Amino acid sequence: MKKGIHPENFRLVVFRDMSNGETFLTRSTVNARETVKHTDGNEYPLVKVEISNTSHPFFTGKMKFVDTAGRVDKFNTKYKKHIDNKTK
């Protein structure tokens, strides 16, 4: 491992997959606003992710549509008026 290029300010952080609720604890330097009590009873910074290895179709082998932020609904409501005007 090359010296002097890796960050030294890492800490334990909980990552939560928002599509299935799975959490995992690992080291990271990422900034987090929220904290959460992990299964070991300690409180750690929380980072929410939309997809992880527990929900990604490549790792699960299942094709699953993931829309955690409601992007499809936002798109449909945004362009509904345009589509309605076009069909008239």
Side-chain angles (χ1 to χ4, degrees), residues 7-64:
E8 295 177 8
N9 59 346
F10 58 83
R11 64 196 185 293
L12 291 174
V13 176
V14 172
F15 285 84
R16 176 176 292 156
D17 187 336
M18 297 308 291
S19 62
N20 62 8
E22 188 79 25
T23 60
F24 56 95
L25 182 66
T26 187
R27 295 181 197 173
S28 178
T29 60
V30 68
N31 292 326
R33 295 181 183 159
E34 299 178 44
T35 59
V36 67
K37 197 169 214 175
H38 195 55
T39 55
D40 62 359
N42 296 326
E43 191 166 318
Y44 298 103
L46 173 68
V47 176
K48 296 176 181 175
V49 293
E50 290 188 18
I51 196 160
S52 69
N53 64 328
T54 59
S55 61
H56 194 281
F58 179 79
F59 298 104
T60 61
K62 299 176 185 173
M63 291 302 295
K64 179 180 154 187

Side-chain angles (χ1 to χ4, degrees), residues 62-75:
K62 299 176 185 173
M63 291 302 295
K64 179 180 154 187
F65 181 70
V66 178
D67 182 26
T68 58
R71 292 184 186 143
V72 174
D73 293 335
K74 285 181 185 176
F75 177 82

